[in-house]
Amino acid sequence: MSSPKSNASAVPTSFSSAKPSALYQQVRDYIEGKIASKEWVPGDRVPSEQELVEQFGISRMTVNRALRELAKEGRVERVAGVGTFVAEPRPQSTLLHIANIAEEIRRRGHRYQCHVISVESVPATPEIAGAMGLPTGQLVAHSVCVHLENEVPVQLEDRYVNQFMAPDFVNQTFTEETPAAFLLRAVPVDEIEHIVDATLPTKKQASLLQMDPTQPCLVLFRRTWTRGSVVTMVRCYHPANRYVLGSRFPADGATR
């Protein structure tokens, strides 16, 4: 955190008219209002639990609940022994098309990096073969890489590719373009499937994403087709407290 400023003096002195059951929500609303109005910006220090307790005359448990929920939602960041700070907004990726995460990160003015863990040909397991419409044991390309925003991992990509559709995939280093960008350039896509789920990461996934293994991941499962054949299937794992998946589209379903 760079030069965080304290906002303790800006806290009102009490919630005299609030019902006890609503106190934690009013603390939340107060903090969220300051963030929404940009009076408090990313990096600013939020009043401590003790400061809020003293200013509002409410219990520490009530204050802790409000701050804990805001931290879980990614609105604030709690640093042990240091304090609570307004968090950077979580980046959002669209579900309406195949997003290029490198372009998304660079459009935000942030630094993008890709750490390639592996790129190899492997026999398709029954699960992979069934999802891709291939015989069990047929060789498919398999890549694993981690995408970073400002040196922080935001996506673990675990991808399988039909080598008949993209024979050069396994020979790529992906230093110049992402696997998704390469496939979009190499193979025309006429159908996309997106499924979003939430799960706890494995120890290995949590290590690659530099996250707490007890915290959930948002998982985007994607398959793409060309002329009825599956080109690729990929699972993209995102730390839920760092990333958002969402879309905006017209109610009539038209694409624009």
Side-chain angles (χ1 to χ4, degrees):
M1 303 294 174
S2 58
S3 303
K5 60 178 181 287
S6 171
N7 297 293
S9 62
V11 180
T13 57
S14 69
F15 285 135
S16 57
S17 62
K19 296 179 181 179
S21 62
L23 288 177
Y24 89 94
Q25 184 61 51
Q26 292 195 36
V27 175
R28 279 185 52 113
D29 291 345
Y30 175 77
I31 294 173
E32 289 183 303
K34 293 294 186 181
I35 295 172
S37 69
K38 301 191 185 309
E39 185 173 338
W40 296 354
V41 299
D44 281 358
R45 187 175 76 85
V46 174
S48 69
E49 286 188 14
Q50 187 58 41
E51 289 169 332
L52 290 168
V53 166
E54 293 175 358
Q55 292 287 338
F56 293 145
I58 57 179
S59 74
R60 194 180 191 96
M61 184 180 298
T62 300
V63 171
N64 181 270
R65 178 180 176 182
L67 294 176
R68 188 173 66 249
E69 289 187 2
L70 289 170
K72 185 176 181 180
E73 295 166 12
R75 303 303 305 277
V76 301
E77 181 180 359
R78 307 188 79 180
V79 182
V82 179
T84 301
F85 302 86
V86 177
E88 290 281 352
R90 288 181 292 175
Q92 176 168 316
S93 183
T94 181
L95 299 177
L96 290 181
H97 62 266
I98 300 175
N100 185 334
I101 190 169
E103 289 184 359
E104 289 185 346
I105 290 172
R106 288 167 179 150
R107 277 199 299 268
R108 290 192 283 271
H110 293 173
R111 296 181 300 280
Y112 168 77
Q113 292 174 287
C114 177
H115 289 172
V116 178
I117 309 302
S118 63
V119 183
E120 58 185 343
S121 291
V122 298
T125 64
E127 177 192 5
I128 300 302
M132 299 184 70
L134 300 172
T136 298
Q138 179 169 318
L139 289 180
V140 292
H142 180 216
S143 66
V144 179
C145 58
V146 179
H147 303 282
L148 299 92
E149 182 167 359
N150 289 344
E151 288 76 49
V152 177
V154 292
Q155 183 188 95
L156 169 62
E157 176 187 306
D158 188 352
R159 180 183 298 273
Y160 292 88
V161 178
N162 184 332
Q163 292 193 148
F164 178 78
M165 306 297 293
D168 292 334
F169 183 89
V170 75
N171 299 317
Q172 304 304 306
T173 61
F174 301 114
T175 56
E176 300 298 326
E177 61 182 346
T178 65
F182 169 83
L183 288 171
L184 284 174
R185 180 172 57 80
V187 186
V189 170
D190 52 35
E191 189 175 353
I192 306 169
E193 175 189 47
H194 278 158
I195 300 172
V196 177
D197 200 359
T199 187
L200 290 177
T202 65
K203 288 184 178 180
K204 182 176 181 180
Q205 290 166 345
S207 176
L208 290 171
L209 287 167
Q210 298 176 21
M211 64 178 292
D212 184 340
T214 67
Q215 296 299 310
C217 278
L218 291 176
V219 185
L220 171 63
F221 174 82
R222 175 192 297 139
R223 286 189 294 177
T224 62
W225 287 260
T226 183
R227 299 187 296 277
S229 296
V230 174
V231 177
T232 184
M233 62 168 284
V234 58
R235 286 184 175 89
C236 297
Y237 298 82
H238 312 81
N241 64 344
R242 297 183 203 154
Y243 217 74
V244 175
L245 296 169
S247 296
R248 178 178 176 177
F249 50 90
D252 61 9
T255 58
R256 295 174 185 169

